[in-house]
Amino acid sequence: MASFDIYQLRIALHGTEPVVWRQVVVPGRITFDKLHKVFQIAMGWSDRHLHRFKSTTSGPMKAGHEKVLRLKDVAEKRGPVGGFYYEYDSGDEWLHSVFVEKIIDLGPLPAFIDCLGGERACPPEDCGGAPGYDNLLAILGDPGHPEHKDRRAWVGADFEPGAFDLAAVRKRLKRLKV
């Protein structure tokens, strides 16, 4: 009977204060192309832009490697040594640090994907990266700002920067096949 390792990862979005972060668990055998899908769902991105994974030591992954390279082959250790970067939308330069918090041996139990927690809403797509997001938050926080009404309409009335809907993320992740 096969043994399965589950990796508990912490994803932190650079340039956000307070930090937008998520904690996910994924099987060690997951490929990076599927891990990209997990990160998109967990963070709240809409997968409209290019992405890439980068090692903390050797730079970007080579084209085509995402479909064959598995998490367990890259992140064998806990902490920053076993970590890597995930960049989404090179125009806005959303950089995520990914750290291995824990590696859990499930033995013969089936592998799974889940989100254990997180804080804060994902920034809106195309808001100009971290500096643009800071500016957007300042405008949204000032009802007297001349751009407040337009920006609120652009992000939608339901956008709340401090909100994170764990139940909704977990529901979407359950649809992914391990």
Side-chain angles (χ1 to χ4, degrees), residues 36-104:
H36 159 69
K37 292 174 185 173
V38 171
F39 288 179
Q40 286 288 304
I41 292 169
M43 292 303 295
W45 298 118
S46 60
D47 205 7
R48 295 189 320 221
H49 300 282
L50 297 175
H51 72 279
R52 67 180 173 167
F53 288 95
K54 299 190 292 187
S55 164
T56 55
T57 56
S58 60
M61 263 184 218
K62 293 181 181 169
H65 281 189
E66 284 188 21
K67 292 183 187 222
V68 294
L69 197 59
R70 298 183 183 282
L71 177 61
K72 68 181 181 177
D73 299 328
V74 172
E76 295 178 0
K77 299 176 180 147
R78 293 186 333 192
V81 174
F84 52 92
Y85 298 110
Y86 171 72
E87 183 180 28
Y88 176 63
D89 185 359
S90 59
D92 279 359
E93 295 183 285
W94 290 113
L95 187 64
H96 308 71
S97 289
V98 183
F99 295 101
V100 177
E101 291 185 318
K102 218 186 271 188
I103 301 172
I104 306 157

Side-chain angles (χ1 to χ4, degrees), residues 4-25:
F4 298 103
D5 288 337
I6 293 292
Y7 283 62
Q8 182 174 304
L9 305 176
R10 182 177 179 91
I11 309 155
L13 184 57
H14 287 224
T16 56
E17 187 58 44
V19 176
V20 175
W21 64 270
R22 304 292 184 262
Q23 185 182 54
V24 298
V25 288

